[in-house]
Amino acid sequence: MTAHAPALAVAVLVYDQVEELDFVGPYETFQVAGQQSTDLFGRPDPAFTVFTVAETTDLLRTRGGLLVRPHHSFTDHPPVDVVVLPGGDATGQSGRPAVLDWLRGVVASTTLTTSVCTGAFLLGALGLLDGQPATTHASALDDLAATYPAVDVRRGVRWVEAGRIITSAGISAGIDMSLYAVSRLFGEELALRTAAYLEYDWHRDPVRR
Amino acid sequence: MTAHAPALAVAVLVYDQVEELDFVGPYETFQVAGQQSTDLFGRPDPAFTVFTVAETTDLLRTRGGLLVRPHHSFTDHPPVDVVVLPGGDATGQSGRPAVLDWLRGVVASTTLTTSVCTGAFLLGALGLLDGQPATTHASALDDLAATYPAVDVRRGVRWVEAGRIITSAGISAGIDMSLYAVSRLFGEELALRTAAYLEYDWHRDPVRR
């Protein structure tokens, strides 16, 4: 991918009882990376466009009670290059055929498929983590290993990369993972500028907690 | 304040073009602190209740395009103990009499008044920072000093405390400031547990960037 590659569409899944910082951390990170990319690369358009997607566009309530209206529904959204699967009640979502059917279709053609916190359970439910290294929120590591025994669950990491899939640890680790995704897609300088604008101390080494 | 003190109501201001992580970082931090407080202190109720407030409850669009419906309007919200003023287009808001009139009334009785990023401009517009140390996003420090010359603008800090007012640096620094506020109100152990749940490396020393 080069600095002048076409913009990538980032779809952030939202649902009732989604953990708000799980999805807003990546949302903000990719948005700011898009803004910074026009300055850094002299692009006419941001390198990322970002939107939320849910089963319907009805107003939903996050775990902490924020009221959010999704931009798009499962049946009416632009093509997706990068998908972000946040946690919260992701285990509940992982039992819902409508969600799994949508996700199976989307991940078939993404450049990157990412999860934050318990969002990894959605990937586990599709079998996408079988035989692969993956991580989740510290409090859910044992549950991930018990629910999906074929997954190589990693502890003490901020994120884990397995080909086109990146899973991250809990809540704020989604920001570190997103910065890494920006770096992988458009280079480290864009990720560093994005972290500087966010005034965020990026964990560039995923093994450091 | 003791572990069994009455719950504190945290009002998070939102408005069109608010920076999404500026307000969701503190929102999530106080929410999680509330959850953790019941376990840590054996309280029957969370130590914090958190809500968003705006001029009206109409759906609004954050700077990055998220669609959010505020819980309460300026004319119909519960009493406020802690107010959070996020950045984004806060300089635009600081020229709006409806916002300043509301804020003047609220800060008269808050336990803590806090800002994130350019939210400090709202406090500056009310003269509340005159002769006080304060900070904002790195890119707005010069502008804050030029717009409100009586403010003692501090650089290279995550947050600055001045009595009942705490201003923080840009975007993610709002999480550090909120953790400090939790610590000040209910003790450091609650703040540490909250940071652990968020998997966030809290900058406990405000001077470290």
Side-chain angles (χ1 to χ4, degrees), chain A residues 19-21 27-28 31 64-69 71 137-138 158 169-170 172 197-201 203 209, chain B residues 19-21 27-28 31 64-69 71 137-138 158 169-170 172 197-201 203 209:
Chain A
E19 187 87 25
E20 47 273 13
L21 192 53
Y27 188 100
E28 166 101 26
Q31 274 286 358
L66 269 185
L67 302 174
V68 175
R69 183 179 297 283
H71 295 113
H137 192 279
R158 294 295 281 180
S172 69
Y197 186 84
L198 298 175
E199 302 203 11
Y200 185 73
D201 278 343
H203 297 80
R209 293 302 281 273
Chain B
E19 187 87 27
E20 47 273 15
L21 192 53
Y27 188 100
E28 166 102 25
Q31 274 286 358
L66 270 186
L67 302 174
V68 175
R69 184 178 297 283
H71 296 113
H137 191 280
R158 294 296 281 180
S172 69
Y197 186 84
L198 298 175
E199 302 202 13
Y200 186 71
D201 278 344
H203 297 80
R209 294 301 282 275

Side-chain angles (χ1 to χ4, degrees), chain A residues 126-148:
Chain A
L126 289 183
L128 291 170
L129 301 179
D130 290 356
Q132 303 288 334
T135 198
T136 184
H137 192 279
S139 71
L141 288 161
D142 290 344
D143 190 20
L144 185 66
T147 309
Y148 303 110

Side-chain angles (χ1 to χ4, degrees), chain B residues 123-159:
Chain B
L123 299 173
L126 290 184
L128 291 170
L129 301 179
D130 289 357
Q132 303 288 335
T135 199
T136 184
H137 191 280
S139 71
L141 288 162
D142 291 343
D143 190 19
L144 185 65
T147 308
Y148 303 110
V151 180
D152 172 15
V153 175
R154 298 291 172 92
R155 293 158 192 274
V157 292
R158 294 296 281 180
W159 74 86

Side-chain angles (χ1 to χ4, degrees), chain B residues 13 55 74-75 77 93-109 122 125-126 128:
Chain B
L13 176 70
E55 189 168 352
F74 285 171
T75 55
H77 62 78
Q93 296 295 312
S94 70
R96 302 191 56 239
V99 175
L100 296 182
D101 288 348
W102 170 79
L103 186 56
R104 193 178 289 110
V106 165
V107 300
S109 59
L122 288 163
L126 290 184
L128 291 170

Side-chain angles (χ1 to χ4, degrees), chain A residues 43-130:
Chain A
R43 302 173 55 101
D45 63 326
F48 297 102
T49 58
V50 190
F51 57 85
T52 54
V53 60
E55 189 168 352
T56 74
T57 56
D58 291 348
L59 199 68
L60 58 81
R61 189 177 285 270
T62 69
R63 181 174 273 181
L66 269 185
L67 302 174
V68 175
R69 183 179 297 283
H71 295 113
H72 296 287
S73 71
F74 286 172
T75 56
D76 180 26
H77 62 78
V80 176
D81 298 300
V82 178
V83 66
V84 177
L85 307 169
D89 183 27
T91 52
Q93 297 295 312
S94 70
R96 303 191 56 239
V99 175
L100 297 182
D101 288 348
W102 169 79
L103 185 55
R104 192 178 288 110
V106 165
V107 300
S109 60
T110 51
T111 301
L112 275 185
T113 292
T114 72
S115 68
V116 182
C117 207
T118 55
F121 284 77
L122 288 162
L123 298 173
L126 289 183
L128 291 170
L129 301 179
D130 290 356

